[in-house]
Amino acid sequence: MPTMTGALSAASPSRWSAGAWGRIPALRVVQGLASLLHAAFIFFACFAFSDTSPYDVVAIPTILLWLALGIRLHRGAVPLVFLLLAYLAAIIVALMPYLNEPLSVTWTVQLVYLVITCIFFAMLYADDTTARIEVALKAYTASCVLSAALGVVGYLQLLGIEDLFYRYGRASGTFQDPNVFGSFLTLGALYLMHGLLSGTTRWPSLSLASLLVVMAGIFLSFSRGSWGGTVVAVAVMVGALYTASRSRPLRRRIVTIGLVAAGLGAVALAGLLSISSVAETFQTRAAVTQDYDEGETGRFGNQIRGMGMLLEEPLGMGPLRWRQIFNLEPHNSYIGSFANGGWLAGAAFIALVVATCFVGFRLMARPSPYRAHAQIVFPALLMFFLQAMQIDVEKWRHVYMMLGMVWALEAARLRWDRGSSRGKAGAGAWPEHSRMRDCGVIGGGPMIGGARAGPGERAGARVRP
């Protein structure tokens, strides 16, 4: 027979016997920490003063924590993983004869790390896609505004520490290279433009001011690739947004704001060119070629000679060895992929670009809850694919982030499309309560361009048209 003390203990257990953390929603705390690390991870992408940045410091805990929370690889992103691993395997095979060269080994290790981050982004954004990518784009845009503001301040020599944000007579912001700085800002500019054109931004004045700062940063980077790439990316985004819109008022808004923005841009450009130092640098940088491009030992001469050598090297020259042979980087990621990893790496890189372009244009063309974000992310990534013909982008952190985003959007779209098809087949194929549970909402998702929010999307999530 139990004693009185035992009965009292069983009836009213102490909070310690139930666990000191029993009243604290531990999982919610962990999820909040994971979300905070995610935002910090993206924001720190702008700090690239050195080979190691806060981005890399935050990467490991962020990836491990989200993996512990159960993110997974969906079938829609498998082609990305396959092509990345094929590219990486070819690079590692080409490295084998040069394991005694520290630079080649370090370069390859860094590439492995970047591929891991790309696969992580493809997994992370494939679930709860709209909410997570919206957070990422906000954090990325904030980092663009900060970096651009510092670049403009450094170029105008307002702080007395110009060398930190100003290199080679050009604004560099928080980057070592003005070319990387200018291109980095394009995605932030597209996000701000998309909000203004579609009328979904909550603070139009703040968005416009931020956009002017970012565009000033792009211009003062005096990067020809960034200038041309930004023009192409903006044209693709505006064209996709206009084509996808079925609202005449929205189309008129796009045209009107586009014309006003072009006028303001022309005025701002005239104002900047009125500064003698800006005009002089602009005249120099606006030339089609520079001194280091021309001649047998210039960029283009090296590329011509190098392509002839690569025809006889199925395994390539080895990672980072083009620099040792020609005393200059290839300045072409397509040629660089053949040089670093041989024919297999080059073919895998080209296949990755072609497959991503196919997926990206399809995302922008077909109605889905993810089309609006595809209109922002893919044009920016397309710009980098074009820039890859005149600069080496295979080690730029944000390129892998955008690559993972595009394939995550495709994975989410495919799941949404399958869910919609099963829903149309009738309750026998997919019971109504099961469909609503899979969508994560009661009563169906919000209507977006004729399409309901997909699996994992929240009914209250802010979605662009």
Side-chain angles (χ1 to χ4, degrees):
M1 181 175 181
T3 63
M4 183 64 71
T5 303
L8 289 173
S9 299
S12 57
S14 71
R15 68 186 183 93
W16 296 107
S17 64
W21 300 94
R23 295 177 178 269
I24 299 177
L27 183 59
R28 184 178 298 179
V29 172
V30 173
Q31 290 173 336
L33 176 60
S35 298
L36 181 63
L37 285 174
H38 166 223
F41 187 22
I42 302 300
F43 178 79
F44 287 145
C46 73
F47 292 98
F49 288 116
S50 61
D51 291 336
T52 302
S53 77
Y55 178 92
D56 305 311
V57 174
V58 176
I60 295 176
T62 303
I63 293 173
L64 293 178
L65 184 55
W66 277 100
L67 287 174
L69 287 173
I71 60 172
R72 52 186 175 159
L73 180 67
H74 292 278
R75 284 182 294 175
V78 169
L80 167 71
V81 176
F82 174 78
L83 291 171
L84 283 175
L85 292 182
Y87 173 68
L88 197 57
I91 296 288
I92 292 174
V93 170
L95 173 69
M96 292 296 103
Y98 309 105
L99 290 174
N100 61 334
E101 297 187 8
L103 287 178
S104 297
V105 173
T106 301
W107 188 91
T108 306
V109 170
Q110 290 173 344
L111 183 64
V112 171
Y113 154 70
L114 290 173
V115 167
I116 291 173
T117 64
C118 183
I119 297 173
F120 164 72
F121 288 127
M123 296 169 66
L124 175 64
Y125 299 127
D127 289 308
D128 199 11
T129 305
T130 298
R132 290 178 184 173
I133 285 193
E134 189 69 22
V135 169
L137 290 176
K138 281 182 168 61
Y140 189 96
T141 303
S143 72
C144 287
V145 174
L146 173 63
S147 185
L150 292 175
V152 172
V153 167
Y155 184 85
L156 298 178
Q157 303 182 10
L158 299 178
L159 294 180
I161 52 172
E162 293 76 31
D163 291 344
L164 194 59
F165 311 118
Y166 173 78
R167 298 172 186 269
Y168 320 121
R170 301 152 61 189
S172 60
T174 51
F175 289 81
Q176 291 179 305
D177 186 346
N179 295 311
V180 184
F181 164 67
S183 298
F184 175 85
L185 301 178
T186 300
L187 178 59
L190 293 181
Y191 179 77
L192 293 168
M193 285 182 191
H194 194 280
L196 290 169
L197 291 172
S198 62
T200 55
T201 181
R202 295 181 181 178
W203 301 284
S205 298
L206 179 60
S207 295
L208 180 59
S210 299
L211 178 60
L212 291 174
V213 171
V214 172
M215 294 303 291
I218 293 173
F219 176 75
L220 293 177
S221 70
F222 294 104
S223 168
R224 295 167 296 165
S226 300
W227 291 346
T230 300
V231 170
V232 171
V234 169
V236 172
M237 184 203 72
V238 173
L241 181 59
Y242 184 89
T243 303
S245 174
R246 292 174 294 179
S247 168
R248 288 185 178 180
L250 180 56
R251 286 189 169 189
R252 285 197 296 268
R253 177 190 179 90
I254 292 171
V255 173
T256 302
I257 293 181
L259 292 174
V260 171
L264 290 175
V267 172
L269 179 61
L272 287 170
L273 291 177
S274 66
I275 304 173
S276 58
S277 59
V278 175
E280 182 179 348
T281 307
F282 176 79
Q283 186 176 5
T284 301
R285 294 296 301 171
V288 175
T289 60
Q290 301 293 318
D291 292 341
Y292 53 78
D293 293 325
E294 302 167 352
E296 185 179 352
T297 58
R299 178 196 306 193
F300 301 133
N302 287 342
Q303 290 175 357
I304 293 172
R305 289 187 295 144
M307 285 189 289
M309 296 169 62
L310 290 174
L311 291 175
E312 302 175 359
E313 296 287 346
L315 295 180
M317 301 175 179
L320 210 64
R321 289 188 53 78
W322 180 286
R323 177 197 297 179
Q324 299 180 34
I325 295 172
F326 296 106
N327 296 316
L328 193 68
E329 298 290 357
H331 289 294
N332 185 307
S333 293
Y334 299 95
I335 295 176
S337 62
F338 282 94
N340 293 323
W343 295 355
L344 176 58
F349 187 82
I350 292 174
L352 178 62
V353 170
V354 172
T356 304
C357 287
F358 174 78
V359 165
F361 281 113
R362 185 169 64 179
L363 278 166
M364 294 194 300
R366 294 188 178 180
S368 78
Y370 315 105
R371 180 161 66 177
H373 283 129
Q375 292 169 351
I376 299 170
V377 178
F378 175 67
L381 181 60
L382 177 64
M383 177 199 73
F384 286 108
F385 288 160
L386 296 175
Q387 276 194 287
M389 291 187 285
Q390 50 89 224
I391 198 168
D392 307 295
V393 303
E394 65 270 17
K395 296 299 291 293
W396 293 5
R397 301 175 179 93
H398 45 285
V399 172
Y400 290 86
M401 181 198 74
M402 296 177 205
L403 190 59
M405 279 184 173
V406 169
W407 282 92
L409 288 166
E410 173 66 0
R413 187 197 65 81
L414 289 173
R415 287 165 46 238
W416 170 83
D417 194 41
R418 287 194 299 269
S420 298
S421 300
R422 291 167 63 188
K424 291 177 182 178
W430 192 9
E432 185 68 14
H433 70 277
S434 175
R435 180 171 68 87
M436 296 310 174
R437 182 173 65 250
D438 193 36
C439 287
V441 298
I442 301 299
M447 294 297 292
I448 306 161
R452 290 191 180 276
E457 302 300 334
R458 298 199 306 268
R462 176 169 168 262
V463 183
R464 297 171 178 269

